[in-house]
Amino acid sequence: MFKRTDQQQAIADYVAMLKGNIGIEAVAGSGKTTTAIDLIENFIPRTQAVLYMAFNKKIQVSTNDKFKERGLSKATAKTFNSLAYGAYMQRYGIKSFNDIKMDDAKYLKMAVEWVNANMSHLSEEDRDIASDIIANLIHFARVNTTYAAYRQRDLVVLTGKTLDGDAIYTPLPNAFFDEAEDILETIAWRYDLFGQLENANDEMRLLKAIPALLRTGKTMMEVQNSDYYYVCNFTDQVYWMVVEQWRVWKSQWVIVDEAQDLSPLFRALVDNAIWYPSGHVIVIGDPRQAIYAFTGADNSGFQNSMKFWNAEKVFPLTFSWRCPKKVAELAREWVPAFEAAPNAIDGEVLETSEEALVRDALPGEAIISRTRGPMIPIWQKLVGAGKPAIIIGSDVSKQIVKILERVSKRKGFEFGKLVDALREYETQQVQKMVARKKGDDEINNFRDQMSAVNGAVDAVQADSMPELIEKIKAIFSKNDEAINESDAVVIMTGHQSKGLEFDTVYMLTPGLFPLKHPKMSADQEVQELNLKYVVQTRAMRRLVLVTSKKEPTKKEEKKLEVTPHPLEAAIDELDAAVQKLLEAPVVEVKSADLVADRPRYNQELVEQLITECLNHRDHTGHPIMMINRLRELAVLADKVRKSGSNSGGDEAVAELVCVVP
């Protein structure tokens, strides 16, 4: 029988008073859905309509089943797209989903046609790139901009900032794309969409194409005859509903789950579903699970949602009913409030090798990777060992296929020399990106894509490019009826694991959680740490960290014991040097000469350490993921020493010591 915790009771007492909007800040596995259902069943009047906004289809279905079991006829769960889909059907008089052609590549196809017709001066490869830019710009512009006329909101809030750090608030008319080139350009720069184009005139031409392509896209949704269905993509449903204020089902209570991942577009959609002026909103989320910046959400998504609906009070849910105690200990490194439930099992946090993983992994367990590259090779090894395995991720499949198609179109391409062609393509693209001063994040992302491509080519035997592509698509198809997810080892990226839970979770290359590079922004660093937290907290019993090194033999184990890796010695030396700096007395001085003899660590040693860390991520258990922060602290501590002032430096040095245990 469900028994409320003190935290849940405090929420219930407040909701029972039928006061204003509230927020619930809930850690992973804290029973958000259970708490929401309890509120609906016992504290919200049964006569009032309740809309529960679910993060995905699976949660929607399970929540509706629970509503039915409890006789909550006025409550319904919907995903954002299913909510918008109702308005879409009503607007166009559509009675069946079968009457719509869902094509998520709709705008990419239109972009390809437009670029081929209007930018013939570009090479075929650059035309492909330009088409991708247009399609991505259309997507990002839609998820980042909204217009909610019925609430007299004449401002569009763009989630992002100008180069000088100012937030953007720009009034836009209903048909805003005709008059919003500055907004489009800002979005393009925010997502670095123009980086692969050398000509500024080409950039402007891409911006000008978007209004026409959007109008064409909307026309495609409105045309029907015997040969041509309504053509729509998933963002179309939400975007046009919001912009044109199509009718949507209204509720007196709206409970928004995973509020940290709401883009401005999704917030506007939910807002349209509230029964004003008497409606109530309950915002539920975990700021530390914000990992979808690339969809228009940012690290402040939960706070922005609270502010958007004027939530008066925020309540905590800090007990995780999913995670064992040992996993909770790890989670507290990033979320100090995280607590295992009082009756939680101890659980296990283990380390293993890739070979042991292949040997030990069982159906129903999950292998989660930060990057896409290792996914196909590990799938190949599992299948080779006679174990059923599936890869989740149609987006990964699309990226692999896109690169293969792009390479196959290059002059002189021969399928028999595919490996060489891929190597040449990667080298040339990286050279271009470096020449165009692309950021490390984009270059690393591209290398990750190429790693996945090469892994797929190695794993799949084919005699032609069409055969290769079809086999790759089959590997990634989660709709393959031959293998059910519960009957196979499930392989996915960290982002795809959101909202799921497994008895055992294997973290591939744990040193890449979080992924780091020198030019990473502070917001990106937070998203990476959030992702690590999300992956760790999928485990209900065991969390297993998988290194890339082979299982050592007994002889090798002995050798490892007596011959530590050079990185270990470097860390020890750095630790000792920094400790001396930390123990130095605090003195007020005006001249750096007075502290010339003050202990300091060896900058050359730090650089060596960083290099070693990057090259040997898996050799030690030290937190290699903090290496970029280590570099920053090293520079800061050196500045403090040279300035002759210890003000503000002790904290930095202390953190440096903590980073290198």
Side-chain angles (χ1 to χ4, degrees), residues 87-260:
Y88 185 94
M89 292 182 69
Q90 187 175 44
R91 170 68 174 80
Y92 292 115
I94 297 169
K95 295 187 173 49
S96 170
F97 190 81
N98 294 328
D99 292 332
I100 302 175
K101 181 180 179 182
M102 294 300 300
D103 187 352
D104 223 26
K106 168 182 173 179
Y107 289 98
L108 177 59
K109 293 174 181 176
M110 288 193 292
V112 169
E113 293 180 6
W114 186 91
V115 169
N116 287 338
N118 295 276
M119 303 183 78
S120 57
H121 64 285
L122 297 176
S123 67
E124 186 173 6
E125 185 178 337
D126 283 347
R127 288 201 297 273
D128 284 345
I129 292 170
S131 302
D132 286 343
I133 291 172
I134 291 181
N136 288 330
L137 186 50
I138 288 174
H139 170 71
F140 286 126
R142 288 187 298 169
V143 299
N144 281 284
T145 56
T146 60
Y147 181 71
Y150 85 101
R151 287 201 63 194
Q152 292 78 50
R153 290 198 175 114
D154 59 351
L155 297 180
V156 172
V157 179
L158 176 63
T159 308
K161 297 180 178 178
T162 59
L163 294 177
D164 60 4
D166 295 329
I168 301 171
Y169 297 86
T170 306
L172 296 176
N174 200 346
F176 63 83
F177 277 100
D178 288 332
E179 303 179 18
E181 284 186 11
D182 56 334
I183 294 292
L184 293 175
E185 189 170 5
T186 300
I187 297 173
W189 282 111
R190 178 190 174 202
Y191 292 101
D192 202 18
L193 298 180
F194 286 154
Q196 297 186 70
L197 287 182
E198 297 178 354
N199 193 320
N201 290 330
D202 290 335
E203 297 173 6
M204 292 299 101
R205 293 184 74 181
L206 296 184
L207 289 179
K208 293 180 182 298
I210 291 175
L213 293 178
L214 269 177
R215 281 191 291 269
T216 302
K218 186 167 183 288
T219 301
M220 292 170 68
M221 294 163 51
E222 299 171 335
V223 174
Q224 184 187 36
N225 56 47
S226 58
D227 301 317
Y228 196 75
Y229 293 134
Y230 298 102
V231 180
C232 168
N233 74 359
F234 286 101
T235 309
D236 274 340
Q237 296 176 57
V238 182
Y239 173 75
W240 289 111
M241 200 285 306
V242 170
V243 170
E244 303 217 334
Q245 294 297 291
W246 296 344
R247 291 180 60 191
V248 68
W249 190 72
K250 305 279 186 182
S251 300
Q252 284 126 324
W253 288 83
V254 178
I255 300 174
V256 188
D257 196 8
E258 305 290 356
Q260 74 278 353

Side-chain angles (χ1 to χ4, degrees), residues 629-649:
R629 183 58 179 156
L630 175 63
R631 186 192 295 272
E632 293 173 356
L633 291 167
V635 172
L636 177 58
D638 193 42
K639 285 182 179 177
V640 169
R641 188 196 70 83
K642 289 179 178 177
S643 70
S645 171
N646 202 43
S647 177

Side-chain angles (χ1 to χ4, degrees), residues 369 371-378 448-449 451-453 455-456:
S369 176
T371 58
R372 290 157 289 196
M375 295 171 69
I376 293 183
I378 202 71
D448 180 34
Q449 291 179 16
S451 176
V453 172

